[in-house]
Amino acid sequence: MIRRADLDSREEESIVDATGQAMRLIIDGYVVLPDAIVGAELEGIRDAFEGLAAKLGTRTFAPTDVETVPEFLNFIGHPSVMPVVDAYMDFYGEEPAVANLHLCRDAYEPGASSGVVTGGHLHNDGSNAAEMGLSYEALHKGVTVHVYLDDTFPDAGGFAIARGSYQLTRPTAEGSARSPNRELVFKHCPMECLHAPAGTVVLVRSFTWHGAGFPPNQKRRQLRADYTPKRLYDAMDLSGEFCYHQRLSDEAVAMLPDDRRRYVVRSKLPQYRPGGGVRAAGRG
């Protein structure tokens, strides 16, 4: 346990700030961390993105591709992010474990349109939890961490979020989750399209309603890591049959700095695979 008497003023201020940011995440359902990744590290991730895009001939990468890139893997347990994630999880008496490293893509599509402002693509990451038999508790405490590699603007590429909307999802008698309809969310929750300069990190609770805002008019590259309580890592599927989380390869784990490996959990359950009659995972 860290004692405040053992901290210098800078460390104490950092902990207080992380706690305050975690409280905003708990209350609003999201929090924005400006300048979380900057300078040579940001440029290195961008270069790695372009290198993988050139190699694969696509600007949307599968998780199995993402985990081969050291610059992407370094986002797991990032020191600019984890004090907030740790404080958020600690509020619930939990410790974080990385669930996925994914959604690494460039959202810029010339000529594309978005209808989220009128309700088209708004969702939360547990919208189909009741149908799929996913755990309310695990999703309720989960958090997604998005890093934006390019400038985004409220009218071009911004992330649309309905503040406080996670509170409208409630548990079912079976332990799953029942989400509200979009109309209720739009009527009662303030909508915001975020301005996120390159290097900004946005943390979002799993039941917070969100979606793509107005389409970007330039590159809008991103990477996302998901965290779930370590205690509930194998509890997402209420049937206890499958692990829905990404199973990082031994090679990927070996590339992580030693102090980051504590966020990796090795599931005891069979890995979920799309298709084959297995029900779909509920993460959006």
Side-chain angles (χ1 to χ4, degrees):
M1 176 180 292
I2 299 175
R3 296 180 302 169
R4 288 191 179 275
D6 297 330
L7 302 174
D8 63 26
S9 59
R10 180 173 299 179
E11 290 173 319
E12 183 169 348
E13 180 180 346
S14 176
I15 287 178
V16 170
D17 187 50
T19 300
Q21 291 164 329
M23 292 304 103
R24 293 268 51 90
L25 176 60
I26 290 166
I27 295 166
D28 294 336
Y30 69 95
V31 69
V32 179
L33 310 182
D35 299 324
I37 297 180
V38 297
E41 183 179 12
L42 177 60
E43 290 305 319
I45 299 175
R46 287 167 156 173
D47 290 345
F49 186 106
E50 295 304 326
L52 189 59
K55 176 182 176 181
L56 300 179
T58 180
R59 299 183 69 79
T60 298
F61 310 134
T64 50
D65 297 319
V66 173
E67 70 175 42
T68 66
V69 180
E71 292 84 353
F72 296 163
L73 278 169
N74 200 49
F75 191 49
I76 293 175
H78 196 280
S80 293
V81 174
M82 294 316 293
V84 182
V85 175
D86 288 337
Y88 167 79
M89 289 284 181
D90 186 62
F91 179 82
Y92 294 107
E94 306 284 2
E95 296 179 72
V98 64
N100 295 285
L101 183 68
H102 62 145
L103 291 183
C104 188
R105 61 191 179 191
D106 185 353
Y108 175 51
E109 297 180 20
S113 62
S114 171
V116 69
V117 177
T118 58
H121 303 296
L122 197 69
H123 67 286
N124 71 56
D125 288 343
S127 294
N128 59 351
E131 176 187 355
M132 301 302 173
L134 303 181
S135 165
Y136 171 87
E137 183 182 14
L139 285 167
H140 177 66
K141 296 176 179 177
V143 60
T144 66
V145 181
H146 308 249
V147 60
Y148 291 91
L149 308 181
D150 302 290
D151 293 343
T152 70
F153 306 94
D155 59 350
F159 192 34
I161 296 184
R163 179 157 28 101
S165 55
Y166 74 92
Q167 299 178 75
L168 299 178
T169 295
R170 60 191 189 278
T172 67
E174 297 76 26
S176 189
R178 181 173 293 109
S179 291
N181 57 45
R182 290 183 180 88
E183 290 72 22
L184 189 68
V185 174
F186 269 95
K187 182 176 180 180
H188 296 286
C189 299
M191 286 292 301
E192 180 178 4
C193 281
L194 300 180
H195 175 209
T200 297
V201 167
V202 180
L203 284 72
V204 185
R205 296 185 64 149
S206 298
F207 286 135
T208 296
W209 285 68
H210 62 277
F214 294 102
N217 54 15
Q218 60 182 24
K219 287 181 181 178
R220 206 217 70 177
R221 296 163 292 182
Q222 68 176 54
L223 175 63
R224 167 175 158 176
D226 296 358
Y227 293 89
T228 193
K230 188 175 291 187
R231 178 181 64 87
L232 301 173
Y233 192 87
D234 274 341
M236 179 66 73
D237 181 5
L238 291 175
S239 74
E241 297 178 27
F242 300 104
C243 176
Y244 284 124
H245 305 314
Q246 182 177 350
R247 197 184 301 273
L248 292 172
S249 67
D250 291 340
E251 293 78 10
V253 174
M255 282 191 280
L256 284 171
D258 290 345
D259 62 333
R260 313 280 184 90
R261 296 176 192 172
R262 65 189 177 95
Y263 298 114
V264 177
V265 172
R266 293 301 195 188
S267 175
K268 301 177 178 64
L269 299 177
Q271 180 69 60
Y272 162 78
R273 301 291 181 190
V278 179
R279 28 176 223 263
R283 288 189 171 272

